[in-house]
């Protein structure tokens, strides 16, 4: 089926006059008549009844009209989406781990929107741990992710964009709550709420203890930072977490770790196997420029 012929059919069905329909379509009346005859011949049915005054739809034409209108509407919406995307508008699907949603991601996306007010841009956000984020990126659930630790797969392109301090949180009535900073060695006698082996931050936390020749004493493992903080607030143990202002609203004390240096790098990652829409490439380039000072 010729899509132009379908548009001609819909226009004639509404206007019901060949000359006026042809004028609206900016074609000649013979061109319109020929297109309608071709459409009817192709499917072996009459779509219009003609007399000297007007054109009327046949019963089959009446049934076909809503389907033709829906088809053109869906097609036009798709064309509009492609045009908007080519002009630098569209949806950006970001994935990140939870503590980045307190400061970094809001700052980054707000500044991007400020600089692109003339474009129609929408963000969708997904929150997960690094392994799930990488899986979601590979499965095309996200366009870009921000995660802890550089991925090993060659098809993932990664760029360091910021660093997060790792801090110790303890219950408000804990002996360490009397201090503002602490050496990691001073915490070894206390039980830890810890990350499971499936998380990148687990190996990072382990490396901090390895740096002082020790191991943590683990009382439980949880893969969600907010739940870990909640367990700490209830006195189950202490925990090492990426610093978040959200902890200040909980019944915990935040301590800076003096020794060893405890921080981790956040990476922006995308999959080189997949096409990035123009607006996603624009956001990627903006993020690279916006975070350049971190790398210099």
């Amino acid at each position: 089926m010729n899509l132009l012929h379908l548009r001609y059919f819909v226009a004639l069905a509404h206007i019901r006059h060949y000359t006026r329909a042809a004028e609206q379509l900016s074609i000649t009346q013979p061109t319109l008549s020929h297109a309608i005859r071709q459409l009817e011949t192709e499917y072996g049915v009459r779509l219009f009844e003609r007399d000297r005054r007007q054109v009327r739809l046949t019963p089959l034409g009446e049934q076909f009209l809503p389907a033709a209108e829906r088809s053109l509407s869906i097609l036009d919406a798709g064309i509009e989406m492609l045009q908007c995307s080519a002009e630098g508008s569209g949806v950006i699907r970001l994935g990140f781990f939870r503590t980045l949603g307190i400061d970094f991601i809001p700052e980054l996306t707000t500044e991007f929107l400020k600089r692109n007010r003339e474009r129609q841009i929408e963000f969708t956000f997904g929150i997960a741990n690094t392994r799930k984020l990488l899986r979601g990126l590979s499965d095309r659930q996200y366009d870009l992710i921000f995660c802890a630790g550089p991925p090993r797969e060659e098809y993932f392109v990664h760029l360091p964009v910021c660093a997060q301090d790792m801090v110790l949180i303890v219950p408000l009535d804990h002996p360490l709550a009397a201090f503002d900073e602490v050496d990691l060695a001073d915490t070894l006698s206390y039980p830890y709420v810890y990350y499971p082996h499936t998380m990148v931050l687990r190996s990072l936390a382990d490396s901090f203890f390895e740096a002082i020749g020790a191991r943590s004493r683990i009382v439980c493992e949880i893969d969600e930072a907010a739940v870990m903080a909640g367990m700490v607030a209830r006195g189950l143990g202490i925990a090492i977490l990426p610093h978040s202002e959200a902890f200040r609203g909980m019944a915990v004390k935040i301590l800076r770790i003096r020794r060893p240096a405890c921080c981790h790098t956040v990476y922006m990652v995308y999959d080189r196997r997949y096409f990035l829409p123009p607006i996603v490439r624009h956001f990627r380039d903006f993020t690279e420029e916006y975070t350049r000072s971190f790398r210099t």
Side-chain angles (χ1 to χ4, degrees), residues 96-106 146-147 162 164 266:
F96 51 89
F97 56 88
R98 187 172 300 277
T99 55
L100 289 180
I102 305 299
D103 297 307
F104 179 75
I105 294 297
F146 295 87
C147 64
C162 72
Q164 276 192 313
V266 176

Side-chain angles (χ1 to χ4, degrees), residues 213-285:
R215 295 182 64 182
S216 57
R217 183 158 66 91
I218 302 171
V219 66
C220 68
E221 298 179 357
I222 306 171
D223 65 357
E224 172 56 57
V227 179
M228 291 176 72
M231 293 295 185
V232 171
R234 290 293 183 178
L236 189 62
I238 62 177
I240 296 176
L241 291 166
H243 181 268
S244 171
E245 289 299 317
F247 298 149
R248 299 195 184 280
M250 306 180 71
V252 298
K253 176 70 178 291
I254 304 171
L255 285 72
R256 187 177 73 85
I257 302 173
R258 282 190 303 254
R259 286 183 295 271
C262 294
C263 69
H264 79 101
T265 302
V266 176
Y267 294 85
M268 176 176 65
V269 184
Y270 64 93
D271 194 324
R272 71 168 82 247
R273 296 173 299 176
Y274 303 135
F275 170 78
L276 293 181
I279 189 58
V280 176
R281 295 199 302 270
H282 183 42
F283 179 75
R284 177 200 62 190
D285 296 343

Side-chain angles (χ1 to χ4, degrees), residues 19 38 84 94 99-100 106 110 115 127 131 158 166 181 195 212 230 232 251:
T19 300
Q38 281 192 316
C84 288
L94 298 185
T99 55
L100 289 180
T110 298
R115 299 188 187 187
I127 298 173
R131 292 182 186 274
H158 63 274
M166 302 290 286
E181 57 183 19
Y195 303 100
I212 61 172
V232 171

Side-chain angles (χ1 to χ4, degrees), residues 198-217:
T198 55
M199 294 186 65
V200 172
L201 288 177
R202 167 64 178 253
S203 60
L204 180 66
D206 284 345
S207 72
F208 299 152
F209 287 97
E210 291 169 4
I212 61 172
R215 295 182 64 182
S216 57
R217 183 158 66 91

Side-chain angles (χ1 to χ4, degrees), residues 18 20-21 42 61 73 81 83-84 108 123 138 142 177-178 192 195 197 216 240 255 274 290:
Y18 270 94
R20 290 197 294 272
E42 181 177 355
S73 177
M81 179 273 295
Q83 290 173 336
C84 288
L108 187 68
F123 283 98
S138 183
Y142 307 117
Y192 267 87
Y195 303 100
H197 287 283
S216 57
I240 296 176
L255 285 72
Y274 303 135
Y290 192 73

